[in-house]
Amino acid sequence: MALTILAALTIFMVLMFFRASITSWILALIVIVAVVAIQARFPDSILLVIGVALFLFVTVFGIPSLRRAVVSSAVLKIFRRILPQISATEQEAINAGTVWWDGDLFSGNPDWHKLLAFPKCGLSEAEQAFLDNEVEQLCAMLDDWDITHNRADLPPEVWQFIKIKGFFGMIIPKHYGGLEFSAQAHSAVVSKVASRSGTAAVTVMVPNSLGPAELLLHYGTNAQKEKYLRRLAYGVDVPCFALTGPFAGSDAGAIPDHGEVCYGEFAGKQNVLGIRVTWEKRYITLAPVATLLGLAFKLYDPKQILGGEVNRGITLALIPTDTPGVRIGRRHFPLNSAFMNGPTQGKDVFIPMDFIIGGTERIGQGWRMLMECLAAGRSISLPASSIGGMKMAARTSGAYCRVRKQFHLPIGKFEGIEEPLARIGAHTYMVDAARQLIALALDIGEKPSVLSAIIKYHATERGRIVMNDAMDVHGGKGICLGPDNYLARDYQQTPIGITVEGANILTRSMMIFGQGAIRSHPYVLKEIMAVHDEDHRRAVHQFDEALFGHIVFAMSNAARSFVFGLADGRGIPVPHGSETYRYYQRLTRFSTAFALSADVAMTVLGGSLKRREKISARLGDVLSQMYLCSATLKRFEDDGRPAEDLPLLHWAIQDALYKIQQAFDGVIQNFPNALMRRILGVLIFPLGLRLSPPSDHLGHQIAALLMQPGAARDRLTAGMYIPKVHDKAHHALSPHLNPLPQAGEEANESLRELCVYDEKDAVGALEAALHSTLLCEPLQAEVEAAYRAGKLKALEELPRIAEARDQSIITAEQAALLERDYALRRKVIMVDDFAPEQLRANK
């Protein structure tokens, strides 16, 4: 009997594991019950009862039409009673965008071969040329200290360059005079500019993000496109888009701004059908200098001039800012950033109906239009600007920690400094991988709304971590503002990206899992759509299919999670690769556990899950980390699996897997149902918590990678702006470009590299100082040895170098290199100072 029960349990586990159909379950149940009944030798009366019960069960659940009539119809009524109402704005947010790789992660069985088969990221020849020329020229024109401290604006020549070179028209088709760049190119441009100036990056990215150009492309009438897109592409019009107001921030659907349909006077014409609009908006980027205002407001038709309902819903309009009654010009001052941002107001401003984006047919569709376009903005603008700053921080921090010495050692060789350097390098590697993958998704036609929230959140949050760590390792160099401080403005302005386009607290606690659980789950959205379907027959049919598919899905994930947990994912078929296959296996294991946890949370907590934001946030963390790992693994494969990048890969993935484990533990420990706490604990972690954070040795390897010029460091920071001298004849070291006869090839290569960088620029000087340090350390050792031997008497470095040259301990060329090295190190280490009157307000 015991063996029969064990065999029955085994059969159930196998069926669950392989996601067997309902028919397979029924057949297995018949066989198991029959075997148990025969072995137990039950009396005929009991066998009859069992037979009748089994017959009823098979009849009800095995015949789809009967199952729908008896079971699914009843459950559907219960769901309609208990399922929380979804507001119109929530429904439009859920419907927006597409499901892409997030669907695989929710499936419990991601198809890794499909992920790796997506095209490699890359730019067209024209896009790369623009990046190498126009973007390079723009970056060379930018002096961020002058922009933020002296002007509080971009110089006029920079504004003009941005406009005439088409930076405002990257997303606009060539037919309308735009550049028609891919999402990857758009992202690369913003990223490179952001590595030089946050102000310039915001100025470039906003016209190409959620705003008039994108809305016109998707929804504008032909007349509107012809009228505005060329002007936007050439920079004749400067656009802004106004959504947020004092009383509607994260809850943007609650905007109080309103318009009423009426007749009025416009451009000298009487009795024009239009709208009288009143608004008060704030935080609107480019508003102070905008010539074209995109506006979101709620439209009402109290006199029912248009017919139909009085409340017509959120509507979008394009309003030239010279329209009477439009108020712009005043500025906000967001954390010492100089990009144009400010309020706009209007009181009873009359606009004709053809100002509505898309015309009267688009009345009331504004929220859906915004949600459908938001995925692209979140996927490109903020991740690109964040990674630009992160790459700059990674490259400069590594160089500074190699050049700066204390206790006769580069500070980067102290373990206390290695720890933040490891975070800087690994976070930059992972976020850049995620940025590239999301841009690729857009280019192949996807609009991944859930993944866009993930990359927006993690790019800005990890950007904050990287900037904090970079400031820590720079110490006093980082905190003193001035022309030679390349970190502080980015550090100051980091909270801006965290706050805009969905504040990060809200994004993590409500949006990532809250939207993903509905949008990306293979069955939940189908069940919800069936619940809200007014056609009862169709609703029951769809609900039955989704419900029983969902039941099999959940039971399968429970079995798979337990089995995978016992083996820590071993045995799962995944792409080959000795360095990475265990990562794929563990991610598949956690994908299964995530699908199980999501179903348990939604089933047990129901509508209250919306208020259990900490549970939702932790589940969102699991989904986020799985996406970040997916992007990182694909990047490693697409880069050709370079061995030099393995420390970055290992640290990033191991850190993410550990965070997934801790997030699951947080969900389990804080789950409000005690029974489910125990069940989830057993199914997800049958052997306990086994993963650890990345090792100190990996951190040491990353720190060394950042402090040493090489292919891995260049790949990590590829695409950032590095100030270089294009005319070597005017370089300070031009007399010493000839190779040193006593030096090896590596030293002479460092000498050639040393002559590339613009030493007048703080970042250029730091790069030159890194190469100079590596080149000159053997010479410094010779001088130091001579001093210790008593051959040299000078106490200070420069006189000692001269003395060593005069005594022929070093050559004149070597002395020149050491003197230049001293000058470079001094420039890198020194901080700016000012006369008191230079720092007075309104100077």
Side-chain angles (χ1 to χ4, degrees):
M1 187 65 168
L3 289 175
T4 302
I5 294 174
L6 181 61
L9 290 174
T10 302
I11 292 173
F12 273 105
M13 286 292 289
V14 170
L15 290 171
M16 291 166 66
F17 189 88
F18 290 104
R19 297 182 178 174
S21 66
I22 288 293
T23 304
S24 301
W25 279 87
I26 292 171
L27 291 173
L29 185 62
I30 293 171
V31 172
I32 290 168
V33 171
V35 171
V36 170
I38 292 169
Q39 287 207 352
R41 298 178 181 176
F42 290 136
D44 291 346
S45 57
I46 294 184
L47 287 175
L48 180 62
V49 171
I50 292 173
V52 171
L54 190 60
F55 173 78
L56 292 175
F57 178 86
V58 171
T59 302
V60 171
F61 286 91
I63 303 175
S65 58
L66 189 59
R67 183 180 68 224
R68 286 194 288 267
V70 176
V71 180
S72 300
S73 182
V75 177
L76 178 61
K77 290 179 181 178
I78 297 172
F79 266 60
R80 283 176 168 164
R81 189 167 59 249
I82 66 173
L83 194 69
Q85 284 296 316
I86 298 177
S87 67
T89 54
E90 286 177 319
Q91 187 64 54
E92 288 176 339
I94 290 169
N95 291 340
T98 60
V99 177
W100 189 53
W101 183 246
D102 44 324
D104 273 73
L105 297 175
F106 253 100
S107 73
N109 190 26
D111 184 348
W112 299 110
H113 294 284
K114 179 177 77 174
L115 174 71
L116 298 180
F118 288 127
K120 291 183 180 180
C121 299
L123 307 181
S124 69
E125 189 174 322
E127 291 169 342
Q128 188 63 54
F130 186 85
L131 205 64
D132 294 339
N133 294 285
E134 284 83 351
V135 180
E136 189 81 6
Q137 293 173 48
L138 173 60
C139 289
M141 297 170 70
L142 299 172
D143 178 344
D144 204 46
W145 175 251
D146 179 56
I147 291 167
T148 57
H149 183 72
N150 298 325
R151 299 175 181 273
D153 192 5
L154 295 173
E157 62 271 20
V158 171
W159 275 105
Q160 185 66 9
F161 186 86
I162 287 172
K163 292 177 180 179
I164 65 173
K165 295 298 183 179
F167 282 85
F168 283 176
M170 286 191 287
I171 66 170
I172 296 176
K174 293 177 182 178
H175 171 71
Y176 296 107
L179 298 176
E180 199 173 344
F181 277 177
S182 66
Q184 295 174 75
H186 177 186
S187 178
V189 170
V190 173
S191 175
K192 186 166 187 173
V193 177
S195 71
R196 184 63 167 172
S197 166
T199 297
V202 172
T203 303
V204 166
M205 76 188 192
V206 166
N208 295 285
S209 186
L210 177 60
E214 186 171 14
L215 292 166
L216 284 170
L217 285 172
H218 290 290
Y219 311 108
T221 64
N222 289 332
Q224 290 171 337
K225 291 176 181 179
E226 290 292 339
K227 180 177 181 180
Y228 288 119
L229 285 178
R230 284 186 177 82
R231 295 175 60 86
L232 290 167
Y234 298 143
V236 176
D237 273 327
V238 176
C240 70
F241 188 82
L243 174 63
T244 304
F247 299 100
S250 297
D251 185 12
I255 53 174
D257 315 286
H258 59 276
E260 291 189 5
V261 179
C262 62
Y263 290 94
E265 179 183 350
F266 187 80
K269 296 181 180 179
Q270 302 294 325
N271 207 33
V272 175
L273 178 62
I275 307 166
R276 201 166 296 280
V277 191
T278 296
W279 71 88
E280 182 182 19
K281 305 287 191 179
R282 63 178 182 178
Y283 309 149
I284 311 305
T285 300
L286 295 185
V289 294
T291 62
L292 188 62
L293 168 68
L295 185 69
F297 59 93
K298 290 181 177 176
L299 181 63
Y300 299 90
D301 186 10
K303 298 180 181 178
Q304 296 183 298
I305 296 173
L306 302 177
E309 299 179 359
V310 171
N311 183 352
R312 304 304 294 266
I314 294 175
T315 301
L316 310 182
L318 280 184
I319 306 174
T321 56
D322 59 1
T323 301
V326 175
R327 285 187 286 160
I328 60 168
R330 293 188 63 81
R331 294 179 61 179
H332 301 310
F333 193 30
L335 294 175
N336 275 6
S337 184
F339 67 85
M340 290 292 162
N341 183 276
T344 174
Q345 304 89 19
K347 177 70 174 176
D348 293 331
V349 176
F350 184 80
I351 61 173
M353 297 299 286
D354 60 8
F355 278 19
I356 295 174
I357 298 176
T360 55
E361 293 180 2
R362 295 288 182 180
I363 287 175
Q365 298 182 28
W367 189 251
R368 180 174 64 82
M369 293 158 64
L370 291 174
M371 289 300 99
E372 288 175 350
C373 291
L374 188 59
R378 279 188 183 148
S379 299
I380 297 176
S381 300
L382 292 170
S385 59
S386 291
I387 198 60
M390 293 170 75
K391 288 181 178 181
M392 182 274 296
R395 196 169 183 100
T396 57
S397 295
Y400 184 80
C401 288
R402 185 63 181 82
V403 173
R404 176 66 165 156
K405 295 180 180 178
Q406 293 288 275
F407 308 104
H408 306 292
L409 273 178
I411 62 172
K413 294 192 176 182
F414 291 93
E415 289 193 353
I417 300 295
E418 284 184 348
E419 191 173 8
L421 282 179
R423 287 194 295 266
I424 290 170
H427 286 326
T428 301
Y429 184 78
M430 178 170 266
V431 169
D432 199 29
R435 173 193 68 86
Q436 293 179 53
L437 185 59
I438 201 81
L440 173 66
L442 295 173
D443 283 335
I444 61 177
E446 300 290 341
K447 294 182 179 179
S449 54
V450 175
L451 296 182
S452 71
I454 289 173
I455 184 58
K456 184 272 174 182
Y457 173 82
H458 282 276
T460 53
E461 283 295 334
R462 290 176 186 238
R464 169 156 56 183
I465 293 170
V466 165
M467 293 311 303
N468 285 345
D469 282 335
M471 289 291 285
D472 284 351
V473 301
H474 277 76
K477 172 72 175 178
I479 64 173
C480 292
L481 287 169
D484 283 339
N485 191 323
Y486 40 78
L487 282 178
R489 288 306 193 205
D490 269 354
Y491 172 78
Q492 285 180 306
Q493 295 159 19
T494 293
I496 298 173
I498 285 167
T499 301
V500 301
E501 290 196 22
N504 278 10
I505 291 176
L506 175 140
T507 299
R508 174 177 178 262
S509 61
M510 296 179 66
M511 293 177 62
I512 293 174
F513 179 74
Q515 188 174 353
I518 297 174
R519 194 74 179 88
S520 306
H521 193 286
Y523 296 103
V524 169
L525 183 59
K526 297 175 183 177
E527 290 166 336
I528 291 175
M529 297 300 291
V531 167
H532 291 95
D533 193 338
E534 295 181 358
D535 185 323
H536 181 72
R537 185 175 180 180
R538 183 176 59 204
V540 171
H541 191 281
Q542 293 176 346
F543 185 75
D544 172 80
E545 186 177 306
L547 175 64
F548 283 93
H550 196 162
I551 290 171
V552 172
F553 177 74
M555 296 178 70
S556 168
N557 286 325
R560 288 160 58 86
S561 180
F562 180 73
V563 173
F564 291 165
L566 288 174
D568 192 21
R570 289 180 178 85
I572 300 173
V574 294
H576 296 295
S578 58
E579 305 95 345
T580 57
Y581 81 98
R582 289 289 292 130
Y583 296 146
Y584 289 111
Q585 289 178 334
R586 282 178 170 150
L587 286 168
T588 300
R589 171 199 168 186
F590 283 141
S591 173
T592 302
F594 173 71
L596 169 67
S597 303
D599 279 331
V600 169
M602 288 186 285
T603 301
V604 176
L605 301 180
S608 68
L609 182 58
K610 289 178 69 174
R611 300 186 296 275
R612 302 274 186 178
E613 293 175 15
K614 295 174 185 177
I615 298 286
S616 179
R618 292 185 183 104
L619 289 170
D621 290 342
V622 174
L623 179 61
S624 296
Q625 299 292 347
M626 289 194 296
Y627 169 69
L628 295 173
C629 287
S630 303
T632 304
L633 288 166
K634 177 166 172 57
R635 172 186 179 159
F636 182 70
E637 296 290 341
D638 288 351
D639 285 349
R641 306 172 64 83
E644 304 95 329
D645 292 359
L646 280 172
L648 296 165
L649 174 81
H650 288 318
W651 200 103
I653 299 290
Q654 290 173 23
D655 176 68
L657 291 172
Y658 177 74
K659 287 176 178 174
I660 289 173
Q661 172 185 267
Q662 300 310 111
F664 271 131
D665 188 51
V667 170
I668 294 167
Q669 297 301 326
N670 293 280
F671 204 80
N673 185 294
L675 175 61
M676 292 313 303
R677 275 202 302 272
R678 295 188 182 91
I679 293 174
L680 283 175
V682 170
L683 292 178
I684 297 175
F685 297 116
L687 301 180
L689 308 182
R690 307 293 292 273
L691 299 180
S692 302
S695 68
D696 292 346
H697 179 64
L698 276 177
H700 169 77
Q701 291 178 303
I702 293 175
L705 180 153
L706 289 179
M707 293 190 292
Q708 181 70 35
R713 182 172 181 260
D714 289 341
R715 274 191 299 272
L716 180 66
T717 58
M720 71 166 280
Y721 175 71
I722 302 173
K724 294 184 178 180
V725 173
H726 299 287
D727 183 4
K728 290 186 178 180
H730 294 91
H731 194 276
L733 276 179
S734 56
H736 305 285
L737 281 174
N738 295 324
L740 299 175
Q742 300 91 343
E745 179 56 34
E746 186 175 340
N748 281 312
E749 179 61 28
S750 293
L751 176 60
R752 287 188 289 271
E753 283 293 321
L754 177 60
C755 299
V756 168
Y757 302 103
D758 181 2
E759 296 170 16
K760 295 180 181 179
D761 183 275
V763 175
L766 181 55
E767 279 294 304
L770 173 62
H771 288 276
S772 177
T773 294
L774 297 172
L775 175 68
C776 292
E777 279 182 345
L779 298 177
Q780 290 169 342
E782 289 184 36
V783 174
E784 180 65 20
Y787 175 72
R788 292 182 181 277
K791 297 178 182 179
L792 304 175
K793 305 299 182 184
L795 298 178
E796 296 182 0
E797 188 170 350
L798 286 178
R800 190 180 297 168
I801 293 170
E803 190 179 0
R805 178 198 60 212
D806 294 342
Q807 293 188 26
S808 298
I809 296 171
I810 56 175
T811 67
E813 283 186 338
Q814 291 171 335
L817 287 174
L818 288 175
E819 288 167 353
R820 189 60 186 161
D821 179 68
Y822 174 83
L824 284 169
R825 283 186 286 113
R826 180 175 174 80
K827 178 173 176 59
V828 165
I829 292 167
M830 295 300 288
V831 298
D832 298 286
D833 52 65
F834 305 88
E837 60 270 17
Q838 290 179 283
L839 299 178
R840 290 179 189 144
N842 300 318
K843 61 186 181 301

